Each structure stands twice: as C-alpha cells, then as structure tokens.
Amino acid sequence: MTQDELKQAVARTAIDYVVKNEIIGVGTGSTANFFIDELAKIKGDIKGAVASSEATAARLRGHGIEVFDLNDVADIAVYIDGADEIDNSGAMIKGGGAALTREKIVASVARQFVCIADGSKLVDVMGKFPLPVEVIPMARASVARELVKLGGTPKLRLKPGTDEAFVTDNGGYLLDVAGLSITDPKALEAQINQIVGVIAVGLFAARGANVCLLGTAEGVKTLK
Ligand code: 5RP
C-alpha cells in the first residue's frame, strides 16, 4: 500500500469516532484532508466543524460543511488530526503543515483527540522530525538563541522556493528545531512555552492523543 492509501484507510476508520449531531474539530494536512473528504459523505449527521487552519476551513466549506468560529462554540466532541511523529504515550510532534497553534487551541477544547497517521509516524523517542515552534516575528532571533541553549538547531521556515520567511495563518514565523532527542515531551513542551516570544510549540504532550489510528500494511491499528 502507498502512504496515501494508508492515510486514506485511517481517515475512513476515523469516521467511527465522529459523534452525531455534534461539532467536530478538524485538523490540517494531507491525512486530515482525506478525513474531510470522508466527513463530507456523512455531513448530514453532524452540526458542523471547527477548522484548525484557513486551508482546512476552505476544504470543509468546499464540501458544504458549515465551519464555526471557535468563539461561538463551547464544546467540541472530538478533534481529529494527523501528526508528524507520535510516541506510545500519545504525545506528538505536529506543525509540519504550519497549523500547530490553531491545532493546539482546537484540541484544547475537544473532549477527545483522535490522531490519524500512517504507521511510519510511530516512534520510540520523538525528535527526528524537526520540532516546529511558532514565534512572534520580532522574537525570531532571541527565541532561536534560547532553543540552541536547549540543544536544538533552529532553522527559519521559508516560503517554498524563496528566501522569504513563511508566515502562518496567525502572522507568526516558524522555527524548525532539529537535533532534539525528546525523552521527556511534557517537560520540554513546558520549557519551550516559557520562552518569551513563543506563540506555540508543536509538542502535544500535556494534551496528547486519546486514541491513535495507525495505517499499516496489516490494517488500521488502534493505540489507546
Ligand atoms: C499540520 C500538522 C499535520 O497534522 C502534520 O504535519 C501531518 O501531516 P500529514 O497528514 O500531511 O502527514 O501538524 O500542522
């Protein structure tokens, strides 16, 4: 099976976790896109969705799914999203698709976080995938210096094919931090959150996944 077929398989399985007549939190990225396409098939069963990025909002609306502003929503039954890495405790690295801050906000309101990923994302120790950190643009260099003190090698994310900084939906910049071996994800998440100028760190450990659906050649595996 191709990686896309594995992503499609978990996206289909994730439909079992959609709660009828409720608002669903929807993540960002290629796996989340497959999920949105599946969600469209049962759109009559849900009230609507809260999106974790402008791209996701556009795809949901394109399918005729109502997109709610999070400020108008008190409760989200389930948040469904991909990950760049996930460990056995349900802690994740996210933000490869640049949406980590809104993903973290929507996830924080959801009762349940269902992670959907192809099996290659499951690791024993996270950190091979560079950890995304969203920063206020004027703090790019000062935050980078602090991340170096933590043992990382931060790199400013650029717009593809240019020398210009990539700008997130929130007007932030992204530092992708290589070289970290994340043996204590909760502690590192708290430490990076303390750096002045950080908007959000792509470590989802304090609020990790409750369920992880992993696409493998043997079928979809469920980690709880
Ligand atoms: C976006 C994310 C994505 O969930 C993550 O990058 C995984 O993406 P994909 O499903 O395309 O592999 O965190 O900010």
Side-chain angles (χ1 to χ4, degrees), residues 7 28-32 81-84 94-100 103 121:
K7 289 177 180 185
T28 297
S30 56
T31 319
D81 195 2
D84 298 301
K94 294 184 42 55
L100 60 145
E103 291 173 340
K121 306 284 181 74

